[in-house]
Each structure stands twice: as C-alpha cells, then as structure tokens.
Amino acid sequence: MTRPTESVVDGSGARQDQGATARTPARPQDLPAVDRLLRQPAAAALLAEHGHTLVAGEARTLLDGLRTQALAGALEAAAVQPATLAAALEERVQARLAPRMRRVLNLTGTVIHTNLGRALLANAALAHVAAMMAGPNSLEYDLDSGGRGDRDSVVEELLCTLTGAEAATVVNNNAAAVLLTIAALARGKEVIVSRGELVEIGGAFRMPDVMASAGATLVEVGTTNRTHPKDYAQAITPRTGLLMKVHTSNYAVQGFTASVDEAEIARIAHQYGLPMATDLGSGALIDMTAWDLPAEPTPQQKIAAGCDVVTFSGDKLLGGPQAGLIVGRKDVIAQIRKFPMKRALRMSKLPLAALEATLRLYLRPERLAQDLPTLRLLTRPAGELQALAARLQPAVAAAVAPRFTVAVADMLGQIGSGSLPVARLPSAGLAIAPAQKKGAGRALDALAAALRAMPLPVIGRIADDRLWLDLRGLERPAEFTDQLPMLQAALRGQPDTTCHETA
Ligand SMILES: *Cc1c(COP(=O)(O)O)cnc(C)c1O
C-alpha cells in the first residue's frame, strides 16, 4: 500500500476558501491525510462503531482514488469538503459491510428457482436451525446411551417412515447422492442406463460425466425414445455392478416412446443378483395430485416397486434445504454409508437441522399446504392471484407512468428446478409494457434494472415486449408496494435511454 503524497497533503489544504475553489478542480494537496479525515465527527462515529481496521482501510482507499482523480484534474472541489468526504467514507464502509447474498422477491413465476435459492424454508425449519446452531447439540451424540451417535440417525427414522424404506442416509445434495451411490455400488464396474435417460441437469451435472467421476463405466442401452426390458437383460455381464434409472426431470420424451419401469428393471437386476437404483431428482414426498398439481413420482412408490436405492433432492419439491437423500435396502445403504467418499460429501449440521424440521412437517400432511412454503406457493389459487393483481395495479401503474402501462394479466408459471417440466401453473400478475414502441427493449431493461436496484430487489421476467410480474411468489404484498415510491423516483431520474446494468 503506497501513500505517496500524504506528507504534502498534510496541512490546511483541505480548508480552502470555498469561493475560490468552486470552479477550479481540486488539487491533490486539497485532500486531507487519512488521520485527519478520521477525526471528522462523522468518521469518528464510524470508527467507534466498526473499529479502526475497516474504517481506516476504506478511508485510505477512498483518498487514494480521489488523489488519482485530482492528479488528472478530474476532481471537483466540492468532493474534498470534509462533510462530503465523511459521507463518502460512510457509504464505502456500508457498502463493504453489505452482504452479497440478498433477499429478493421472486416474481418470475418459477416457484422453485435454482438461481434464486430454490425452496423457501418453513418457519419450523428456520427456528430449528437458529436454536440448534446457537449452542452445542446432539449431532453425533446419543442422548440415551451417552455414547457416540451417527448424524444420519437425526433423520433416518423419519425418512424410513415417510418413504417406506428400510434405511436412509443423507449427503450435501442430490448430485452427491447419485455420485456416491454409483461409486459405492459400481466403482470399477459397469452401470446400465437407458439412452433416453442420459440427462444433463444443468451446471455440469451430466449422467455420463457423473458415471466417469464415480469410476464406473456407463453402458447405454435402448434408444433415445424406446428402451425395452430385453435391452437391460442382454447388457448384463460379469462386469455389471448396477442397473440404474434416471427420472427425466427437466424434459419429456413424447410420441413413439417406450421405457421400462422401475419394477421391471428391479426384477431383472435381482434375477442376476444386482442392485437397482433410481434417481428421482425432485422427489415429492406426497402425492401432488391431492393438491391438483401434476403427478410426480414419489420415493415411496419406487421403494414399493422394488428399487434398492432411491436418490432425491432436499430443496426441490420436498421444500427443505439443499440435501441429497438416499433411501433403500438396509445392506445397500450400509454399503453406501461406509464408502469413504461419504465422509467428503457429508451434510453439515446446518442443513441437517433444517431437513429434520422440514421432514417432521410431513407427519402432519393435512397442515402441509400451510406449513411448507413450497406447497403453499404452488397451491395458491389463480383467482387469489388475479384479485391481488387487480388490487396492486393502480399503485404500480402510477409508479411507472408515464413511460409504462400496467395491465392485470393471466400467466402460466412453472414449478421449476426440473420438476414436472411440461406442467404449467395457471397464475396471474402484472404485465408492464413500455408506452412507446421506439426504444421499448431498452426501456424494459431499465425497468428491470430499477426493480433489481430496490432495497428488496424484485425479479420479474421479460418476454413479448413486456415485463411480467407473476404474483404467486408475493406472499406479503407490502414488501413490494412499500418500495413503489423508490421505483418511481428511480424511473423519473433516469434519462429515457440509459440502462443501469450493475451486477
Ligand atoms: C436436480 C436433479 C439432480 C441434482 O440434484 P441437486 O440436489 O441439485 O444436486 C440430480 N438428478 C435429477 C434427475 C435431478 O432432477
């Protein structure tokens, strides 16, 4: 860190006569030294609150930047006024302390949005995490015997009750669950998968690559659209370690298709003394059709069908924290649990506490649509959203006028995160359109940027020359409407063509 000009600056330079410096640019020697800036009352208050390290560091960086501007003759005299400098310092300190991960309002219409953190945790889960993390807990301690316990036992019994499986173990996420399952059961062996199920989930999770990472050899059978039982049977050799089915969660194969169901693949596998695993991805723990939502396979169905292992995510339809759940036959789960890679993929106590509390909600299915935010959002009736849109429309219209017009609109949302890919959720919200056709794209970008720049950023979706705000994700409307004056000010302050794309 260099402070080249400070000895020259130290002095009364900063107290220039304002009248004389108003038009001329500030000179480097007009800037105070760091210590002098820190003696400003406002800066002293910052020091008292945040300590010397942070505040002095930011003061140094601030003054270095201003000095560079002054040397270039590009610094306005007003910028070196003590009050201005103190305000700039406070802004820098606050910006440095501001978290990068921020709460946002998800008005995209996609309920389980991977980029926006997937499932929202239930209050019960939030409370349990807070309570368990505030002190020591029985993570790996058996309170009955006073001896060492296993962290899996926090949720194993619950998972067995809910899925009908004999045993269960958990890891960081479902990608880890699939990797571990394949590695533990088929490292150095062959794994048979249908060509119609070689999925890419996104974010570099491709079944063939996972297979390679796990040290197994993928044996593809059947064709993209049709795979038959005999395809599996004929591919089995002494090198085979596992038969696997992958739920095609983010796409659908339609038309002239045939696939082999789990029960049939499991029967073939067991004929040859081999295990059979299925990766469900989303893993709804309840029959979604009971809430008029599209059907999604459940782990309990797959266990009942004879699968030895079923893997699924914790933060998709299950509505819990990021987690990979592995349920199945006792001996197979034991083999997976003792595989060394398990230790590297093990779940932290934080999500484990959230997972336990989330799973407990499933013991009271009648209350689930109230208690579990994911299900609560998915089951909000379109009529309720239409009424909400009608109620918000006037205030939003006033805030974005005259550059935009606002209409109440029916929309089609989606569940998200690869769950039920073709299903659409009838929804409603506000469609905001630029008043003028000319420059409409830029106007929409500017509007989206202004929405993102609010204290609680609002994330919508641009399509068909409109910005769509699907209200399914808005449970507390005041969180949006309270910010409308800020949105209005931001739009008024913006020249028509600028687009503030700050990341
Ligand atoms: C989402 C998904 C995964 C990955 O699960 P994560 O919990 O995101 O790691 C794996 N397989 C399928 C079929 C999925 O849908």
Side-chain angles (χ1 to χ4, degrees):
M1 188 143 316
T2 54
R3 308 159 72 174
T5 52
E6 254 172 35
S7 56
V8 198
V9 177
D10 202 7
S12 56
R15 303 209 175 163
Q16 293 266 335
D17 167 49
Q18 285 193 36
T21 54
R23 279 149 208 242
T24 51
R27 298 162 302 165
Q29 58 267 39
D30 297 335
L31 286 161
V34 170
D35 292 346
R36 196 186 181 86
L37 170 57
L38 293 183
R39 283 197 296 272
Q40 282 294 317
L46 282 177
L47 273 177
E49 188 177 355
H50 304 294
H52 189 268
T53 307
L54 175 68
V55 180
E58 290 304 320
R60 212 168 285 129
T61 321
L62 171 68
L63 291 171
D64 283 348
L66 294 175
R67 193 168 297 115
T68 307
Q69 286 181 38
L71 283 167
L75 187 65
E76 284 181 34
V80 302
Q81 294 307 313
T84 313
L85 287 172
L89 177 60
E90 164 141 39
E91 199 171 304
R92 283 193 70 98
V93 168
Q94 298 304 355
R96 178 68 76 183
L97 289 172
R100 281 301 293 246
M101 196 194 287
R102 310 244 320 264
R103 239 199 93 198
V104 303
L105 289 179
N106 172 11
L107 304 194
T108 61
T110 301
V111 174
I112 308 171
H113 198 301
T114 293
N115 303 144
L116 303 180
R118 289 196 181 163
L120 313 181
L121 286 185
N123 287 335
L126 295 172
H128 196 49
V129 171
M132 290 307 101
M133 296 311 115
N137 56 56
S138 62
L139 177 68
E140 291 185 356
Y141 186 78
D142 184 345
L143 285 169
D144 288 334
S145 69
R148 198 184 183 290
D150 184 320
R151 67 178 65 201
D152 275 353
S153 57
V154 172
V155 289
E156 183 171 19
E157 196 186 299
L158 260 173
L159 278 169
C160 292
T161 305
L162 296 170
T163 64
E166 291 173 3
T169 182
V170 288
V171 287
N172 264 325
N173 52 34
N174 190 39
V178 174
L179 179 71
L180 177 63
T181 298
I182 296 169
L185 303 183
R187 163 155 278 180
K189 297 185 187 159
E190 293 177 351
V191 180
I192 301 173
V193 185
S194 160
R195 285 200 171 86
E197 299 168 6
L198 298 175
V199 304
E200 173 181 309
I201 304 301
F205 185 84
R206 294 173 145 196
M207 216 21 107
D209 302 338
V210 174
M211 225 40 103
S213 302
T217 305
L218 172 65
V219 175
E220 303 173 20
V221 297
T223 60
T224 305
N225 58 330
R226 291 173 72 83
T227 303
H228 307 284
K230 67 174 189 319
D231 294 326
Y232 289 92
Q234 285 168 359
I236 293 175
T237 73
R239 292 182 304 277
T240 307
L242 178 69
L243 270 60
M244 190 160 174
K245 188 166 175 75
V246 184
H247 183 51
T248 56
S249 57
N250 53 4
Y251 67 102
V253 181
Q254 287 173 333
F256 183 56
T257 63
S259 65
V260 187
D261 67 19
E262 276 89 347
E264 183 73 29
I265 303 175
R267 199 185 54 72
I268 297 166
H270 296 161
Q271 251 175 17
Y272 293 86
L274 292 166
M276 189 267 166
T278 191
D279 175 29
L280 281 187
S282 187
L285 273 181
I286 40 158
D287 176 9
M288 303 293 283
T289 61
W291 282 272
D292 286 334
L293 290 164
E296 177 79 357
T298 61
Q300 42 274 44
Q301 287 166 354
K302 302 306 172 187
I303 291 292
C307 293
D308 301 293
V309 188
V310 184
T311 52
F312 52 104
S313 274
D315 57 354
K316 292 183 181 171
L317 280 174
L318 193 145
Q322 179 184 306
L325 296 89
I326 311 175
V327 303
R329 226 172 66 201
K330 208 176 184 93
D331 59 326
V332 178
I333 296 296
Q335 196 180 339
I336 291 171
R337 187 180 283 145
K338 69 169 198 273
F339 194 71
M341 191 190 279
K342 165 71 164 51
R343 176 62 178 77
L345 303 175
R346 81 172 180 190
M347 211 177 183
S348 143
K349 61 183 178 175
L350 256 121
L352 192 57
L355 181 63
E356 183 192 3
T358 305
L359 291 173
R360 286 202 187 284
L361 297 177
Y362 281 88
L363 298 175
R364 305 185 299 184
E366 294 82 1
R367 299 190 43 152
L368 208 54
Q370 287 103 56
D371 294 348
L372 192 73
T374 300
L375 192 60
R376 190 168 69 225
L377 291 177
L378 288 174
T379 54
R380 285 183 86 180
E384 178 188 320
L385 303 175
Q386 278 155 2
L388 178 59
R391 186 154 72 74
L392 300 190
Q393 190 271 343
V396 178
V400 301
R403 288 175 64 193
F404 302 92
T405 59
V406 180
V408 172
D410 289 338
M411 301 178 186
L412 289 176
Q414 48 188 316
I415 292 171
S417 276
S419 311
L420 314 155
V422 283
R424 288 288 176 271
L425 289 175
S427 197
L430 298 170
I432 310 182
Q436 290 177 0
K437 258 205 144 60
K438 189 158 169 287
R442 247 181 302 185
L444 284 173
D445 286 342
L447 174 62
L451 286 164
R452 289 197 304 274
M454 299 201 295
L456 180 53
V458 173
I459 316 294
R461 189 169 57 85
I462 294 178
D464 303 329
D465 297 325
R466 282 172 182 72
L467 190 139
W468 304 82
L469 299 177
D470 186 315
L471 298 184
R472 183 173 295 280
L474 187 66
E475 288 204 285
R476 290 173 295 275
E479 289 185 332
F480 177 40
T481 51
D482 286 354
Q483 300 190 100
L484 287 175
M486 265 167 280
L487 178 65
Q488 180 163 25
L491 292 174
R492 295 272 155 92
Q494 262 173 10
D496 263 21
T497 47
T498 39
C499 159
H500 294 286
E501 284 290 351
T502 44

